[in-house]
């Protein structure tokens, strides 16, 4: 797992209070990890803070899974 | 008129988590006031408060994990967690956990707070200033709104009936219970979770109340002696944190399911001072009319009240309340007992009326007068027994609990021992 993926995973575990083994790349925040729409907004904020990037609203709307976040953040920090 | 009884009690206060621990501490005359150590207070004149004992939930300590999932706790201010804990206890105690749709629709929540998430508002203000609007959490608003106490409680227990909050400063808890009882009497619900919650112990509210010279400054080195209503050396109120919640229920509904009945709410009075934003008028007119309205509702005369749980905050207003009670009770004042449990808990602001309604209910049920501790040298002359230092036994039929708030908002509740 990449450094970015590891960091994303820890943020998700911390914010959603879920078991580490559930936080796989395919996991959907809402469908699989029990997040609601407000949780997802807060998650995006936490990603922005941790990676020092800005995630515009239209981009944020496409981040639905752990993998989506990793992909976006790997690109944004490359 | 439909009769309203109390069938569940829950509380988390500076005297402990749970009704049993609270009542034991009250009867023993213990103080829950301590020095504040969780944040810096060196630059604040008042450095003491009534603080909830935290721990793993044993021996009357409070474990927030029992009330709310840890991942959700950081989304809300403490007053919501305290309210959830007190409601959890009260619902458990009452045994009313509706699962049928129709039962849920007849079960509501009316829980308020005086100042709600004041600390979280300040924190978010720093975030807004230092990091900008895009860093303000989506949970900022729902974690600070006062009626989210009622919202979270309804979600936790499936109570889908009337859902509302009261915000009347230090009268909140009494108004919430009185209003909930009225909803039941008016056939708008059969069961209500009602009460108040407050988490005021933070720098901003200490600073605000200190600026008003309303807080106790002189007992930072002797916290347990800081709250001393009616005493010569009283020096202002001591803030306290916590929540009190009751389950109130229509009598037949409670009987049918064999619920334990703690007491009956027979009187509820309200009034406004229309005088000053923070001070009561010297003649105590607002308090007088409020208690009178409660007696009128209960259809009883003052001499039938054996105990008054005073608002008694350890401020200049204490004597004004005593005067109002004397005026209303006349000769009956000679046989009346009145005490301030705030001498032990501190002043829980929006939760005060709720925890004091519970203490009043237990006083009436058990025939015990809670004491006013720290009353060494009374500065009021009155024929009323202020129950100094030690709890006493006295057969009681009716107890009255007073709450008065900034803005000149007053509420009195009368609880009757349940006689069937």
């Amino acid at each position: 797992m990449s450094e970015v993926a590891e960091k994303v995973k820890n943020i998700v575990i911390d914010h959603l209070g879920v078991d580490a083994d559930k936080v796989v790349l395919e996991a959907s925040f809402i469908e699989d990890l029990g997040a609601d729409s407000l949780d997802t907004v807060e998650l995006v904020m936490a990603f922005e803070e941790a990676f020092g990037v800005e995630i515009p609203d239209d981009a944020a709307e496409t981040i639905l899974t752990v993998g989506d976040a990793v992909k976006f953040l790997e690109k944004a920090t490359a | 008129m439909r009769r309203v009884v109390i069938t569940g009690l829950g509380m988390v206060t500076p005297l402990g988590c749970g009704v049993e621990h609270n009542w034991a501490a009250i009867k023993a005359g213990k103080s829950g006031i301590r020095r504040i150590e969780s944040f810096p207070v060196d630059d604040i004149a008042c450095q003491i408060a009534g603080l909830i004992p935290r721990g793993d939930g044993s021996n009357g300590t409070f474990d927030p994990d029992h009330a709310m999932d840890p991942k959700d706790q950081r989304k809300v201010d403490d007053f919501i967690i305290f309210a959830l804990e007190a409601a959890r206890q009260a619902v458990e105690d009452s045994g009313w956990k509706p699962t049928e749709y129709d039962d849920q629709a007849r079960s509501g929540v009316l829980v308020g707070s005086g100042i709600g998430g004041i600390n979280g508002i300040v924190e978010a203000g720093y975030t807004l200033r230092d990091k900008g609007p895009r860093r303000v959490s989506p949970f900022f608003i729902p974690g600070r709104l006062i009626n989210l106490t009622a919202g979270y409680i309804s979600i936790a227990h499936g109570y889908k009936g009337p859902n509302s909050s009261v915000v009347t400063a230090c009268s909140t808890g009494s108004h919430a219970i009185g209003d909930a009882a009225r909803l039941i009497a008016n056939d708008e619900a059969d069961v209500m979770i009602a009460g108040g919650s407050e988490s005021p112990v933070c720098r901003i509210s200490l600073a605000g109340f200190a600026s008003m010279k309303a807080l106790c400054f002189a007992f930072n080195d002797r916290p347990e002696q800081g709250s001393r209503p009616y005493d010569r050396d009283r020096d202002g109120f001591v803030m306290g944190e916590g929540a009190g919640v009751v389950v109130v229920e229509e009598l037949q509904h409670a009987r049918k399911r064999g619920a334990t009945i703690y007491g009956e709410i027979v009187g509820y009075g309200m009034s406004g001072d229309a005088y000053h934003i923070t001070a009561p008028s010297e003649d105590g007119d607002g308090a007088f009319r409020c208690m009178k309205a409660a007696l009128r509702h209960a259809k009883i005369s003052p001499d039938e009240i054996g105990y008054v749980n005073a608002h008694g905050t350890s401020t200049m207003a204490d004597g004004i309340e005593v005067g109002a009670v004397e005026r209303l009770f006349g000769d009956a004042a000679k046989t009346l007992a009145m005490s301030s449990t705030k001498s032990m808990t501190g002043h829980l602001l929006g939760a005060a009326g709720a925890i004091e309604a519970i203490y009043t209910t237990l006083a009436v049920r058990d025939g015990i007068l809670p004491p006013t501790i720290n009353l060494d040298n009374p500065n009021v002359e009155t024929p009323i027994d202020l129950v100094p230092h030690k709890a006493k036994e006295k057969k009681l039929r009716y107890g009255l609990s007073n709450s008065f708030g900034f803005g000149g908002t007053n509420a009195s509740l009368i609880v009757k021992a349940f006689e069937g």
Side-chain angles (χ1 to χ4, degrees):
Chain A
M1 195 176 261
S2 73
E3 201 183 308
V4 170
E6 200 60 43
K7 212 163 153 183
V8 166
K9 189 175 167 177
N10 287 332
I11 291 169
V12 173
I13 292 166
D14 182 41
H15 277 259
L16 300 182
V18 288
D19 291 337
D21 55 359
K22 283 191 175 165
V23 188
V24 292
L25 291 177
E26 303 76 41
S28 153
F29 298 126
I30 290 177
E31 304 291 330
D32 302 317
L33 302 177
D36 63 21
S37 61
L38 297 181
D39 287 315
T40 60
V41 176
E42 200 184 46
L43 263 184
V44 167
M45 247 180 223
F47 295 146
E48 289 185 324
E49 185 89 12
F51 289 92
V53 298
E54 191 171 313
I55 305 176
D57 287 350
D58 52 349
E61 280 166 22
T62 65
I63 299 177
L64 305 175
T65 66
V66 177
D68 293 340
V70 171
K71 212 162 98 190
F72 181 92
L73 290 163
E74 276 177 343
K75 216 173 178 184
T77 55
Chain B
M1 188 62 102
R2 286 153 53 94
R3 290 167 65 187
V4 182
V5 293
I6 301 167
T7 58
L9 307 175
M11 64 207 310
V12 50
T13 81
L15 295 177
C17 187
V19 172
E20 201 183 313
H21 284 273
N22 266 270
W23 193 226
I26 290 277
K27 287 192 284 189
K30 286 187 181 159
S31 169
I33 314 297
R34 299 199 302 278
R35 203 177 154 78
I36 297 166
E37 280 166 358
S38 57
F39 55 87
V41 286
D42 299 348
D43 55 350
I44 299 176
C46 175
Q47 303 172 348
I48 59 174
L51 301 170
I52 293 170
R54 317 234 173 185
D56 61 4
S58 62
N59 290 322
T61 58
F62 169 58
D63 181 351
D65 293 358
H66 293 177
M68 194 179 213
D69 196 318
K71 80 172 161 54
D72 291 324
Q73 288 172 28
R74 62 183 174 79
K75 299 175 182 170
V76 301
D77 265 279
D78 281 350
F79 76 106
I80 290 177
I81 306 174
F82 299 160
L84 274 168
E85 172 59 24
R88 184 187 70 77
Q89 294 171 20
V91 169
E92 203 59 47
D93 188 28
S94 81
W96 182 243
K97 299 171 181 175
T99 51
E100 299 295 324
Y101 186 79
D102 290 343
D103 287 337
Q104 290 180 326
R106 293 287 293 174
S107 306
V109 188
L110 210 168
V111 174
S113 179
I115 51 180
I118 191 166
N119 194 47
I121 293 171
V122 170
E123 295 295 329
Y126 293 145
T127 301
L128 177 64
R129 185 194 61 196
D130 299 338
K131 296 181 174 176
R134 288 177 53 85
R135 285 288 174 277
V136 174
S137 165
F139 296 105
F140 165 59
I141 301 287
R144 316 280 97 70
L145 292 181
I146 280 172
N147 72 295
L148 264 283
T149 50
Y152 270 103
I153 291 167
S154 70
I155 294 164
H157 301 289
Y159 279 48
K160 297 180 178 173
N163 192 282
S164 183
S165 274
V166 170
V167 181
T168 49
C170 305
S171 296
T172 297
S174 295
H175 275 136
I177 293 171
D179 289 351
R182 190 167 284 176
L183 285 173
I184 292 170
N186 288 344
D187 202 12
E188 290 173 61
D190 291 327
V191 184
M192 292 291 294
I193 295 171
S197 186
E198 205 78 82
S199 53
V201 185
C202 59
R203 282 177 62 78
I204 187 73
S205 56
L206 280 168
F209 284 109
S211 293
M212 296 171 67
K213 312 289 179 209
L215 291 177
C216 171
F217 297 161
F219 287 84
N220 289 336
D221 56 342
R222 292 165 288 161
E224 296 190 346
Q225 297 170 37
S227 186
R228 43 195 317 117
Y230 321 114
D231 186 76
R232 184 187 65 195
D233 298 321
R234 63 152 171 74
D235 183 51
F237 83 83
V238 179
M239 209 180 261
E241 61 178 0
V245 168
V246 296
V247 171
V248 286
E249 184 166 354
E250 194 274 326
L251 174 61
Q252 297 310 328
H253 191 277
R255 272 202 173 124
K256 246 182 247 164
R257 65 184 191 89
T260 300
I261 295 174
Y262 288 98
E264 180 172 357
I265 297 178
V266 293
Y268 174 38
M270 297 191 268
S271 74
D273 286 352
Y275 176 73
H276 183 267
I277 54 169
T278 59
S281 63
E282 276 179 26
D283 60 3
D285 173 60
F288 175 84
R289 285 183 292 104
C290 183
M291 289 183 278
K292 203 173 166 187
L295 287 165
R296 181 168 183 265
H297 178 209
K299 298 191 178 67
I300 59 171
S301 56
D303 61 353
E304 294 181 80
I305 302 275
Y307 171 64
V308 173
N309 186 297
H311 185 59
T313 56
S314 192
T315 63
M316 50 71 75
D318 297 351
I320 296 175
E321 181 182 13
V322 170
V325 171
E326 282 179 8
R327 186 179 148 212
L328 182 67
F329 280 68
D331 267 356
K334 289 177 194 152
T335 55
L336 179 68
M338 170 161 116
S339 65
S340 169
T341 46
K342 289 188 181 80
S343 61
M344 294 168 275
T345 61
H347 187 358
L348 273 66
L349 310 180
I355 67 164
E356 287 157 20
I358 293 172
Y359 297 146
T360 303
T361 301
L362 296 172
V364 168
R365 185 194 66 172
D366 294 352
I368 300 277
L369 301 172
T372 305
I373 67 166
N374 297 319
L375 180 46
D376 299 331
N377 301 291
N379 66 355
V380 288
E381 268 187 49
T382 177
I384 300 168
D385 177 7
L386 299 173
V387 202
H389 302 301
K390 280 191 183 334
K392 281 185 194 171
E393 289 185 15
K394 180 186 180 185
K395 177 108 181 85
L396 297 168
R397 230 180 137 209
Y398 294 95
L400 182 151
S401 182
N402 275 336
S403 297
F404 312 133
F406 285 170
T409 171
N410 311 304
S412 300
L413 291 170
I414 298 175
V415 180
K416 185 185 181 189
F418 187 63
E419 294 169 355

